[in-house]
Amino acid sequence: MSDARVLRFYLDPGLRQSAEAGRHNFIGKIANVAQAAGFRVEYRANSPQNRAKSAMRRGYSMFHMEPPTNDRGLTFRRAYHYPFWGIEPLAERWHWHIARSTFDPATIDPAEAERFATFWRKRLFPDLIPRDDGFVYVPLQGRLLDHRSFQSMSPVDMVKAVLAHDARPVVATLHPNETYTNAECAALTALAEEHPRLTLDTGGMERYLPACSYVATQNSSAAFNGYFFEKPAILFGQVDFHHIAANVPALGVDAAFASLRGLSPDYAQYLWWFWQEMSINAGRPDAGEKIAAALRRAGWPV
């Protein structure tokens, strides 16, 4: 067999061990599709040395949540929750196939979508009941003072924009898995001192998400989770679940806040489209077919 028809997975230790033992459902399904198409499958350590070598090797490669190293590489990652996945040529979600696709609720059975969304809300958030306590929830991520290329402004400036455009209380939360600099913490503290209606906290998504009026964020998955509670979102950064949100990168700040006031999409139909149609549900019988379709979309010979 030619070395060109080999698929190498580059994985961190725990994931590699699970894949080699046949215990990772989704990786196993990708491997099955590749082997059925005549590929040999290998599992390699995701080390800097191996990543550098992968760019020069013949054959095909797959990375978990990391950028591929050449045009025969793909990345795979969860579509926010198991068992939903995406396989794409680029690691940035805002460049994914779903981000460039058009959401048309008219093609989706509303009753089926409602059953689907209700099932997953109860499964993911079994004890949380939606309500509106009249505040804005702002889940922060990292690099609070930086204005990165996919963002319309820095996260701290985003908080300032929310305070300027909405008179309600605002709760901004730090991500529990991020490390923040003294300068970042000082900037937020100064903002809270200037605006007494701004509350700062760490984590607490399950406390704040069901009770907020809407979610304002760069591209935090908390906004996607908010769709299960029919919470509108205003996005200050690019992401793949932008279709039913007020979109600052596309509209600008003033127009995005204006559109937010009248925002009332069908959240259930969107969640069904995002997961059942546009993502790969590894628990469904058609998972192999959808994996093959994603590989063919990237030009792989399967």
Side-chain angles (χ1 to χ4, degrees), residues 184-259:
E184 290 173 315
C185 295
L188 281 180
T189 300
L191 202 54
E193 290 174 350
E194 181 182 354
H195 300 274
R197 59 192 175 91
L198 171 61
T199 298
L200 303 178
D201 201 353
T202 298
M205 184 188 75
E206 294 192 351
R207 173 185 176 188
Y208 296 117
L209 187 58
C212 69
S213 298
Y214 64 88
V215 181
T217 186
Q218 295 286 354
N219 59 9
S220 169
S221 61
F224 179 82
N225 289 331
Y227 294 162
F228 289 97
F229 301 97
E230 299 192 345
K231 300 296 182 179
I234 181 167
L235 303 174
F236 285 74
Q238 299 179 70
V239 74
D240 53 349
F241 56 82
H242 62 84
H243 308 79
I244 60 170
N247 193 329
V248 174
L251 301 174
V253 178
D254 293 342
F257 272 98
S259 72

Side-chain angles (χ1 to χ4, degrees), residues 2-61:
S2 168
D3 189 53
R5 211 164 180 83
V6 58
L7 167 57
R8 298 180 181 92
F9 285 88
Y10 294 88
L11 305 170
D12 291 337
L15 202 58
R16 182 186 177 194
Q17 184 178 21
S18 176
E20 288 179 327
R23 294 194 304 267
H24 196 286
N25 180 46
F26 187 61
I27 294 176
K29 289 181 182 293
I30 298 173
N32 289 340
V33 169
Q35 288 166 338
F39 282 77
R40 183 176 79 253
V41 174
E42 300 176 359
Y43 301 100
R44 301 291 181 97
N46 186 35
S47 65
Q49 296 84 356
N50 278 345
R51 284 187 60 84
K53 289 178 182 178
S54 73
M56 306 303 296
R57 283 184 171 130
R58 300 178 68 202
Y60 297 79
S61 55

Side-chain angles (χ1 to χ4, degrees), residues 143-175:
R143 297 171 61 175
L144 302 184
L145 301 177
D146 295 344
H147 177 187
R148 290 185 275 177
S149 61
F150 63 91
Q151 298 172 326
S152 57
M153 62 187 69
S154 74
V156 165
D157 285 338
M158 171 184 70
V159 178
K160 293 178 182 178
V162 174
L163 290 165
H165 284 81
D166 200 308
R168 279 173 280 200
V170 176
V171 178
T173 60
L174 298 173
H175 196 290

